[in-house]
Amino acid sequence: MRASIKISAILLSIIFLTNCKSGSEENKTESSKTAGVVLVPSPAFDATGAYDKVQKQVDFGPRVPNSAAHTACGDWIVNQLKDSGLEVTEQTFQAFSFKGKTLNARNIIASYNPQATKRILLGAHYDTRPVADQDEERTEQPIPGANDGGSGVAVLLQIAEEIAAAEKKPNVGIDYIFFDVEDGGTPDSFEGNALNDFGGYCMGSEYWSKNPHKENYSAFYGVLLDMVGAKGATFLKDKASMQVAPSVVNKIWGIASQKGYSSFFLPQNGGDIMDDHIPVIINAKIPMIDIIDQKTGNQTFFDHWHTHDDNMESIDPSTLKAVGETLLQTLYQEEGVI
């Protein structure tokens, strides 16, 4: 992901003009609703299990496309999803690094309750940054990506595992998408042409949004997880998310508050973030929101963003629990349980 990319509010407004109220109007409506929501029973979220899944990814090494670690991690994700009883699709394609190198890429899609008409899309990226462009040393070497990549993957895999083991299950369809080639965008120091409309970022989500795994695929809404495991994480309401789906944002933030996680999910708006939800919004016309660690003031992301210190020492199980438990509860709030 990248900060300070201006997204056209006009374009997003046009896309969802027939589907969304104005942000301010829906904000007020949804805020009043979430205060009185009765939470249905939902499974506990195993934060230790999620933490272990972050560790597993880091143990593979940096998951940079074309590397053995990247392939091994992708295979592990596929096996984890199959172990949870999900229908798995692997979408292979070619992308390009900002240096012009051909990258063999793979999006991984897994479906729960594939016959359900109402579907929720959950996403995260599993590749890691090939350069440490925010570090002061070894800037040309890849980062561990414990939080930036690993945390979102771990939470989604743990949610799939909890649902598979639960006696009562969500009465909606869920599609988990693990996007590839998200974090290969051009560093600020790079002099050359951008590889796509997103500065070389979000190539996997761009590909999927133009070539969905099922013809005419649609979802009621989507939730992207990115950098959701760091100590002291704060999740602000991303600008594009509030433009296209304020009701979804406010519903999730309201559930987080009811479950005691308001210190993580802050009731304030964040900035413009270029992340995997943007191609999904623009190309697939799905209102996808982003749960991403943002900071107020001059700092945009968590302390170790795009550095070699994005390792297991930066991960806090309590943050994983706050996000996993909130999102799991959100799924169970959709149309009750079966």
Side-chain angles (χ1 to χ4, degrees):
M1 82 303 307
R2 183 174 176 180
S4 302
I5 297 288
K6 292 187 183 284
I7 316 291
S8 171
I10 295 175
L11 174 61
L12 297 179
S13 295
I14 291 172
I15 290 172
F16 292 101
L17 186 60
T18 59
N19 297 327
C20 297
K21 302 177 184 177
S22 72
S24 59
E25 180 185 350
E26 193 156 4
N27 241 330
K28 293 175 183 177
T29 303
E30 198 61 32
S31 295
S32 63
K33 287 181 181 178
T34 53
V37 167
V38 176
L39 300 183
V40 302
S42 63
F45 182 84
D46 182 0
T48 300
Y51 182 88
D52 290 344
K53 289 175 175 61
V54 179
Q55 180 72 69
K56 179 68 175 181
Q57 293 171 81
V58 172
D59 288 346
F60 284 120
R63 283 82 66 205
V64 176
N66 290 0
S67 69
H70 177 266
T71 300
C73 184
D75 292 344
W76 172 76
I77 291 171
V78 169
N79 290 331
Q80 289 285 301
L81 296 166
K82 289 181 177 180
D83 286 348
S84 291
L86 301 178
E87 178 184 282
V88 179
T89 301
E90 299 179 56
Q91 185 182 61
T92 58
F93 61 100
Q94 286 192 330
F96 299 92
S97 73
F98 64 86
K99 295 182 178 179
K101 184 177 182 179
T102 300
L103 304 175
N104 297 309
R106 168 173 51 161
N107 289 330
I108 300 168
I109 305 102
S111 298
Y112 159 80
N113 198 6
Q115 281 70 48
T117 301
K118 182 178 181 180
R119 310 204 64 76
I120 309 300
L121 173 65
L122 306 180
H125 76 90
Y126 72 96
D127 65 306
T128 53
R129 184 78 171 146
V131 291
D133 52 314
Q134 299 298 317
D135 212 322
E136 296 180 353
E137 58 183 24
R138 294 182 290 141
T139 58
E140 294 298 313
Q141 295 180 20
I143 67 170
N147 191 33
D148 193 356
S151 61
V153 170
V155 169
L156 293 191
L157 290 176
Q158 193 63 41
I159 285 175
E161 189 175 305
E162 306 296 3
I163 291 174
E167 182 178 350
K168 292 185 177 181
K169 304 181 187 297
N171 192 25
V172 291
I174 303 170
D175 298 296
Y176 304 85
I177 301 190
F178 298 85
F179 294 119
D180 202 355
V181 207
E182 186 275 346
D183 225 350
T186 56
D188 292 339
S189 60
F190 180 74
E191 296 182 0
N193 296 323
L195 297 171
N196 64 359
D197 292 338
F198 311 109
Y201 289 89
C202 307
M203 289 192 174
S205 55
E206 181 184 33
Y207 184 86
W208 177 85
S209 67
K210 294 179 177 179
N211 305 276
H213 64 292
K214 290 189 176 181
E215 189 175 0
N216 299 318
Y217 175 84
S218 186
F220 188 52
Y221 64 82
V223 180
L224 177 68
L225 302 184
D226 200 355
M227 304 191 302
V228 293
K231 297 173 182 176
T234 51
F235 306 112
L236 308 183
K237 299 179 179 182
D238 163 63
K239 186 173 181 179
S241 302
M242 289 300 289
Q243 179 71 31
V244 302
S247 64
V248 177
V249 175
N250 288 320
K251 175 172 64 176
I252 292 175
W253 262 245
I255 288 172
S257 178
Q258 285 188 260
K259 296 187 78 69
Y261 298 126
S262 56
S263 63
F264 293 96
F265 289 79
L266 303 186
Q268 62 190 84
N269 292 338
D272 251 343
I273 304 297
M274 174 59 70
D275 210 348
D276 280 324
H277 63 318
I278 301 300
V280 174
I281 290 169
I282 294 174
N283 299 322
K285 308 297 190 291
I286 295 171
M288 190 173 204
I289 75 156
D290 197 6
I291 298 178
I292 183 169
D293 189 354
Q294 295 188 63
K295 305 302 178 188
T296 58
N298 295 327
Q299 182 179 351
T300 304
F301 298 129
F302 74 112
D303 289 341
H304 306 309
W305 176 63
H306 287 186
T307 73
H308 296 292
D309 288 329
D310 183 7
N311 53 36
M312 290 306 297
E313 291 184 10
S314 72
I315 300 298
D316 186 349
S318 65
T319 306
L320 297 171
K321 184 175 180 62
V323 176
E325 193 169 290
T326 296
L327 187 52
L328 191 55
Q329 183 69 56
T330 300
L331 295 171
Y332 272 77
Q333 293 298 122
E334 296 292 344
E335 298 295 331
V337 294
I338 55 175

